[in-house]
Amino acid sequence: MQFKHFLKFSDFSREEYDYLFERARWIKQEFKQYRQYWPLSDRTLAMIFDKNSTRTRLSFEAGMHQLGGAAIYLSTRDTQLGRGEPVEDAAKVISRMVDIIMIRTYEHDIVKRFAENSRVPVINGLTDKYHPCQIVSDIFTYTEYRGSITGKTVAWIGDSNNMCNTWLQAAEIFDFKVHVATPPGYDIYPEQIGLIDTKHYEKFISPHKAVLDADLVTTDVWTSMGFEEEAEQRKNDFAEFCVNAEMMSLAKKDALFMHCLPAHRGEEVSAEVLDGPQSVVWDEAENRLHTQKALMEYLLLGKVVAGN
Ligand code: CP
Ligand code: NVA
């Protein structure tokens, strides 16, 4: 049987994202009207978590339930994965019992090896390298507020982490530009994330220069999960990288602010910006639900709307 995985943003084409967004809009509208839509009845999602989560767990679990299916939460702490069962064996077993699998873990290679041994679609719910589900939601959210993101400028301020890597991949697919400002020692590695060209990003040392005329300013925690030992060092290294009102004022007047959450007010973003009028962080979080419902529908049923 032919099926796809969703392990990184560049696994899907622009045409597939356009379709997903159309479905997400419809699914969101039906949900808001309390209209039942159960295309995945009798389908089961397994969610494997090796790291903490609020939004990812909730949006996948609630989303599967709302589509008529069931979701099972598996933590590596209390499965045999936590006692050394090979990822390949776990993938073979779990994928015989459920219809779709989401994994959040550390090394991206774990998700790849899992997918290679799975009989069903696998979704990356965050690795050290990528967070594709979040960027699908972020671009969907941008589009809701401002229309197409094509041709726009996104300022990425902070760590060259999983979110940054995924924005860079998305820029090539949606044809927009990322201004990347990271402190010395936290440079991006475009060749490690398979970027095709250098047209869709520009590197900056100064975050103030990176935000100039940006349509969207976005950041993330200075210390991602798995890097906790570096937290104190990172507080020093990123001290000039707080997105505050003064920094936001350099972007376009109607610029949006995004953060995947959880956020640390007073570190990577000031409370004034996070809770201010340009911030769309709560919509970003909610749209995880609607976009991932569209994603699960697509991975399990293919295109369900004629003419697409
Ligand atoms: N943004 C995000 O993925 O949040 P969680 O870590 O709460 O899932
Ligand atoms: N970059 C963060 C995102 C959390 C949703 C992390 O990996 O911890």
Side-chain angles (χ1 to χ4, degrees):
M1 198 183 93
Q2 207 54 25
F3 61 89
K4 290 192 79 151
H5 301 298
F6 186 60
L7 307 187
K8 57 186 191 301
F9 201 90
S10 56
D11 285 347
F12 281 13
S13 66
R14 172 68 192 264
E15 186 268 329
E16 284 176 302
Y17 284 115
D18 287 345
Y19 171 79
L20 272 190
F21 286 0
E22 188 188 317
R23 291 302 298 155
R25 270 190 291 276
W26 183 83
I27 285 169
K28 180 172 182 176
Q29 172 200 307
E30 294 298 294
F31 175 70
K32 299 273 179 190
Q33 299 296 323
Y34 297 96
R35 281 197 283 266
Q36 197 178 83
Y37 178 55
W38 284 1
L40 303 185
S41 59
D42 290 333
R43 306 290 183 116
T44 306
L45 163 74
M47 307 181 296
I48 305 169
F49 283 94
D50 206 4
K51 288 176 174 171
N52 293 45
S53 170
T54 298
R55 281 144 287 268
T56 303
R57 176 178 177 180
L58 254 176
S59 51
F60 271 107
E61 191 163 338
M64 194 47 159
H65 173 74
Q66 290 159 18
L67 292 173
I72 299 172
Y73 173 82
L74 299 166
S75 154
T76 44
R77 279 186 300 281
D78 49 30
T79 57
Q80 299 291 4
L81 272 166
R83 297 179 61 250
E85 181 167 20
V87 169
E88 290 78 4
D89 294 0
K92 284 176 188 152
V93 172
I94 296 169
S95 69
R96 283 181 182 229
M97 300 190 190
V98 301
D99 303 280
I100 186 164
I101 298 164
M102 186 239 77
I103 313 181
R104 166 170 286 197
T105 188
Y106 293 87
E107 296 90 38
H108 190 68
D109 191 53
I110 295 175
V111 172
K112 275 169 62 184
R113 281 162 50 210
F114 195 103
E116 277 160 18
N117 289 279
S118 173
R119 288 184 167 192
V120 302
V122 175
I123 299 171
N124 176 359
L126 182 146
T127 60
D128 290 348
K129 199 169 181 184
Y130 299 120
H131 196 4
C133 293
Q134 183 68 54
I135 304 296
V136 174
S137 176
D138 292 0
I139 295 179
F140 180 78
T141 305
Y142 185 88
T143 310
E144 284 189 321
Y145 274 91
R146 298 281 185 263
S148 173
I149 198 167
T150 297
K152 306 287 185 188
T153 299
V154 175
W156 173 266
I157 308 300
D159 191 15
S160 53
N161 63 11
N162 42 15
M163 284 291 295
C164 176
N165 288 339
T166 310
W167 271 114
L168 290 167
Q169 285 197 341
E172 291 194 334
I173 291 163
F174 278 84
D175 194 17
F176 59 87
K177 190 152 188 184
V178 187
H179 285 182
V180 192
T182 57
Y186 297 89
D187 209 356
I188 56 169
Y189 291 96
E191 66 285 355
Q192 289 181 15
I193 53 171
L195 294 190
I196 299 161
D197 59 51
T198 53
K199 287 194 312 231
H200 293 95
Y201 68 88
E202 191 173 337
K203 296 198 273 183
F204 293 80
I205 295 163
S206 156
H208 294 90
K209 288 196 176 139
V211 297
L212 279 182
D213 289 328
D215 299 281
L216 165 63
V217 178
T218 183
T219 186
D220 187 12
V221 290
W222 291 339
T223 302
S224 285
M225 291 179 279
F227 295 82
E228 287 79 4
E229 282 178 10
E230 299 172 16
E232 281 313 305
Q233 177 67 45
R234 284 168 172 262
K235 273 188 189 166
N236 290 326
D237 296 344
F238 287 82
E240 303 303 314
F241 285 71
C242 175
V243 179
N244 54 25
E246 183 228 333
M247 203 185 279
M248 272 311 282
S249 73
L250 302 171
K252 282 200 180 136
K253 264 203 172 59
D254 69 343
L256 299 177
F257 173 77
M258 288 192 185
H259 189 310
C260 66
L261 304 176
H264 297 81
R265 288 172 179 79
E267 290 188 18
E268 74 274 6
V269 60
S270 68
E272 193 183 0
V273 169
L274 189 79
D275 302 313
Q278 288 168 282
S279 171
V280 293
V281 297
W282 315 119
D283 292 310
E284 250 185 291
E286 180 193 321
N287 282 331
R288 293 287 302 277
L289 174 70
H290 312 302
T291 51
Q292 287 162 195
K293 283 165 77 176
L295 176 65
M296 290 191 285
E297 180 195 62
Y298 177 61
L299 289 174
L300 284 172
L301 305 180
K303 291 185 177 175
V304 296
V305 176
N308 281 287

